[in-house]
Amino acid sequence: MASTRPGEENRNEEKTPASSAAGKNRALAFLKLGLKLGFTALLLWLLYRKMDLQAFRSSLQELRWELLPLFYAIAVGNMWISSVRWKLFLRADGVEISTSLLFRSHWISSFFNFFLPSNIGGDVYRMADIGRRSGRPVGSVASVFADRLAGFVAMSFLGFLFPLLGYSLIPPEKRMLLLVPAVLFFGFLTAAFLLLQQRLLLWFLRFFPQRVREPLMRFATRFFESIHAYARTPAVFLKAVLLSIVFQFFVIVAVYVVGASLRIPVSFAPYCVFVPFVCLLESVPLSLNGMGLRDTGYLFFFEAVGLATAASTSAALSLCYVTLTLFYALGGGLLFLFRQFLRRV
């Protein structure tokens, strides 16, 4: 019979709860991934089970390849705008990182956003990357959080404003959908306001168990130091939102370019009305990389403008957009591998 050395049994017992918790976390992660896969597959099947496959193939076969470089030019420009916006928050907190370095971090994060089942995988990379380079990990978390919030404020603002301006293009029975981006816009503004209310959120943390509360309080204190650095210069958040509005406008242009490359007979104005709403819809973390939700938005768009082949057109646009984004994200993956190689040399 094998003997147990003194203290070994206790050490094994101590490891068991941690191993059990890790196992539960992995099981929960796989369950969430399975639910997302199932929801995505169900949604795509419901949308396209009666699709005209011939019309779908025709759309892809008539692709105007000469327009696609314009899509990538817009993607690169938008990534640079995002990097400038992120730099505003870091600089307000006393962290100086070059825009080109932030651009590379953003590009790599697009790879993780595309291929990881979670929509925040890229943000985690950005936090870790810039936190390591700046020596301010909590400040990096705060900057990415504020950067994301500014983006969502702009997205929901355009998602409400443009459909309001193009009210006549929206079928009467669907006009109640305008309430969704309006509610989200004011919700994100409320979230921005609550970030400045340090006492309220710290008071809320008092209800956590002590072993969790103490590290959370330390993190929250450092986090709010960065947030209040942004608040001392209100122009920072305003500039970030304005840059985000420019960013979102170019997203509309990029989708229009993809639509034009597929020879979709819809002018630019309806894209302005519907694309911001589609962007809000696909950002809901219910499916893999927005698949299914994005298609739902485009199907609603093309049905609203009266396209006879709405289902096949929305499928072609969504597939083409995702494929183009995939190749852009792969560039970020190659850059990540190159960085890892240089680090080891």
Side-chain angles (χ1 to χ4, degrees):
M1 189 179 214
S3 61
T4 303
R5 284 179 293 185
E8 186 176 330
E9 185 176 341
N10 290 338
R11 284 196 300 273
N12 291 337
E13 287 177 357
E14 287 173 3
K15 290 179 183 178
T16 301
S19 301
S20 176
K24 287 180 181 178
N25 289 337
R26 281 194 296 271
L28 185 60
F30 279 115
L31 176 61
K32 287 180 180 178
L33 177 59
L35 289 173
K36 280 191 174 186
L37 280 169
F39 178 77
T40 303
L42 177 63
L43 197 52
L44 290 172
W45 178 78
L46 289 172
L47 288 172
Y48 299 131
R49 66 189 188 281
K50 297 180 180 179
M51 182 180 70
D52 184 346
L53 292 176
Q54 182 57 43
F56 173 69
R57 283 194 294 268
S58 297
S59 295
L60 295 177
Q61 287 168 358
E62 296 175 5
L63 187 69
R64 296 172 61 189
W65 293 92
E66 70 274 11
L67 290 178
L68 299 185
L70 181 56
F71 173 88
Y72 285 111
I74 294 169
V76 170
N78 259 1
M79 193 68 75
W80 190 265
I81 289 171
S82 295
S83 303
V84 171
R85 182 183 65 193
W86 187 13
K87 185 174 182 175
L88 287 173
F89 291 111
L90 288 167
R91 177 174 286 174
D93 196 22
V95 177
E96 281 294 337
I97 302 286
S98 70
T99 308
S100 59
L101 199 153
L102 295 176
F103 177 87
R104 292 194 291 272
S105 187
H106 246 304
W107 195 2
I108 292 172
S109 77
S110 70
F111 170 78
F112 289 106
N113 272 335
F114 195 96
F115 288 99
L116 291 181
S118 169
N119 289 333
I120 62 170
D123 287 343
V124 172
Y125 174 80
R126 286 203 289 155
M127 293 171 186
D129 183 36
I130 301 306
R132 176 179 58 82
R133 292 175 184 277
S134 66
R136 300 270 302 279
V138 179
S140 176
V141 171
S143 70
V144 172
F145 188 88
D147 179 61
R148 273 288 190 174
L149 183 58
F152 279 121
V153 167
M155 188 193 300
S156 56
F157 173 70
L158 291 186
F160 173 67
L161 177 64
F162 281 170
L164 197 61
L165 295 175
Y167 195 69
S168 60
L169 292 171
I170 303 174
E173 68 275 11
K174 302 288 180 68
R175 286 173 182 168
M176 287 297 291
L177 289 173
L178 278 175
L179 291 174
V180 176
V183 169
L184 288 173
F185 174 60
F186 289 107
F188 289 129
L189 285 181
T190 301
F193 172 76
L194 287 175
L195 272 178
L196 302 177
Q197 306 305 307
Q198 181 176 353
R199 291 180 182 177
L200 176 63
L201 292 175
L202 289 178
W203 174 83
F204 178 73
L205 289 178
R206 293 170 57 188
F207 295 96
F208 284 78
Q210 185 174 356
R211 63 187 179 84
V212 177
R213 183 172 68 245
E214 289 182 359
L216 276 179
M217 289 286 279
R218 287 194 297 270
F219 176 87
T221 300
R222 291 194 293 270
F223 180 86
F224 282 117
E225 287 175 1
S226 296
I227 295 297
H228 280 281
Y230 313 149
R232 285 193 293 272
T233 51
V236 166
F237 193 75
L238 179 60
K239 287 178 181 177
V241 171
L242 290 175
L243 284 171
S244 298
I245 289 173
V246 174
F247 175 97
Q248 292 301 328
F249 179 76
F250 278 116
V251 169
I252 298 171
V253 176
V255 176
Y256 173 72
V257 167
V258 178
S261 71
L262 291 166
R263 304 177 192 273
I264 298 173
V266 177
S267 64
F268 181 64
Y271 280 87
C272 292
V273 173
F274 292 99
V275 170
F277 184 81
V278 175
C279 290
L280 281 171
L281 192 62
E282 69 181 340
S283 66
V284 178
L286 292 177
S287 69
L288 286 177
N289 200 30
M291 289 188 292
L293 294 172
R294 181 187 303 108
D295 302 68
T296 301
Y298 288 136
L299 181 60
F300 165 61
F301 170 17
F302 294 127
E303 285 178 344
V305 296
L307 276 186
T309 57
S312 58
T313 303
S314 62
L317 180 62
S318 184
L319 176 63
C320 194
Y321 188 87
V322 169
T323 304
L324 291 169
T325 306
L326 165 64
F327 283 109
Y328 186 75
L330 285 173
L334 291 174
L335 180 58
F336 175 73
L337 291 176
F338 182 67
R339 271 189 171 186
Q340 297 299 107
F341 173 75
L342 288 182
R343 198 173 294 171
R344 290 173 183 173
V345 172

